[in-house]
């Protein structure tokens, strides 16, 4: 949908602008939609060479490319490149940080924790057994025509 310039006081992007191969153009379009003084917030997949990513390390590259393919992403940018694109698009970057910097502290829950699968009520669905049970249950509901048939 097209929006008139200066239509919004604020905008956000959650793991979406990382799909754009041209971040400057993407951020310019966001900037055009914001009123003067408007705010933009977002988070996305980025590379962090300052935290250890090494483009010469085959294992790092394998993981990076797996993330790109698995998430339908163009080449991942660094956090510095994203900030630079925001500035080129007309934004003033007020704050930028790595949300995972404290991920392994005892009082922190890693972002990937819900995906690991545990033998708990909420974590069971992510285990191998949980996926098998869920598939069987949904297939039964489809067969009984309680749930619409999936593809």
């Amino acid at each position: 949908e097209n929006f008139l310039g200066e239509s919004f006081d604020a905008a956000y992007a959650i793991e979406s602008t990382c799909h754009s191969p041209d971040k400057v153009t993407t951020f310019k379009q966001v900037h055009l939609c914001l009123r003067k003084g408007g705010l933009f917030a977002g988070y996305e997949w980025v590379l962090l060479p300052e935290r250890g990513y090494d483009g010469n390390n085959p294992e790092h590259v394998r993981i990076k490319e797996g993330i790109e393919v698995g998430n339908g992403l163009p080449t991942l940018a660094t956090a510095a490149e994203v900030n630079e694109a925001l500035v080129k698009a007309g934004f003033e970057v007020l704050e930028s940080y790595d949300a995972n910097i404290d991920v392994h502290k005892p009082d922190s829950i890693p972002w990937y924790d819900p995906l690991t699968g545990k033998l708990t009520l909420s974590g069971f669905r992510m285990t191998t057994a949980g996926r098998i049970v869920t598939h069987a249950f949904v297939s039964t509901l489809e067969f009984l025509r309680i749930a619409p048939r999936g593809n």
Side-chain angles (χ1 to χ4, degrees), residues 43 53 86 94:
Y43 68 85
Y53 174 77
L86 285 161
L94 302 176

Side-chain angles (χ1 to χ4, degrees), residues 70-91:
N71 290 283
L73 299 169
T75 300
L76 286 169
T78 65
E81 290 168 338
V82 172
N83 287 338
E84 182 181 328
L86 285 161
V87 170
K88 285 182 179 177
F91 285 101

Side-chain angles (χ1 to χ4, degrees), residues 18-126:
C18 52
H19 292 272
S20 172
D22 183 352
K23 292 183 187 343
V24 174
T25 299
T26 299
F27 292 143
K28 278 184 180 178
Q29 293 301 311
V30 174
H31 193 266
L32 287 171
C33 292
L34 291 174
R35 293 185 180 100
K36 185 173 176 73
L39 297 174
F40 174 63
Y43 68 85
E44 62 183 84
W45 288 92
V46 295
L47 297 173
L48 297 168
E50 62 276 11
R51 295 274 315 272
Y53 174 77
D54 179 1
N56 295 316
N57 181 322
E59 181 65 4
H60 290 194
V61 173
R62 184 190 69 75
I63 293 168
K64 170 190 159 303
E65 290 175 350
I67 291 168
E68 291 167 347
V69 170
N71 290 283
L73 299 169
T75 300
L76 286 169
T78 65
E81 290 168 338
V82 172
N83 287 338
E84 182 181 328
L86 285 161
V87 170
K88 285 182 179 177
F91 285 101
E92 174 188 359
V93 177
L94 302 176
E95 184 176 11
S96 174
Y97 66 94
D98 177 2
N100 288 312
I101 201 153
D102 295 327
V103 74
H104 295 294
K105 285 189 172 180
D107 59 342
S108 294
I109 298 172
W111 66 269
Y112 52 82
D113 189 65
L115 304 175
T116 59
K118 294 184 178 85
L119 292 178
T120 64
L121 188 58
S122 63
F124 178 71
R125 64 187 172 85
M126 297 305 290

Side-chain angles (χ1 to χ4, degrees), residues 138-149:
V138 170
S139 295
T140 301
L141 292 174
E142 290 174 347
F143 177 77
L144 296 173
R145 296 191 174 156
I146 296 170
R149 185 169 172 82

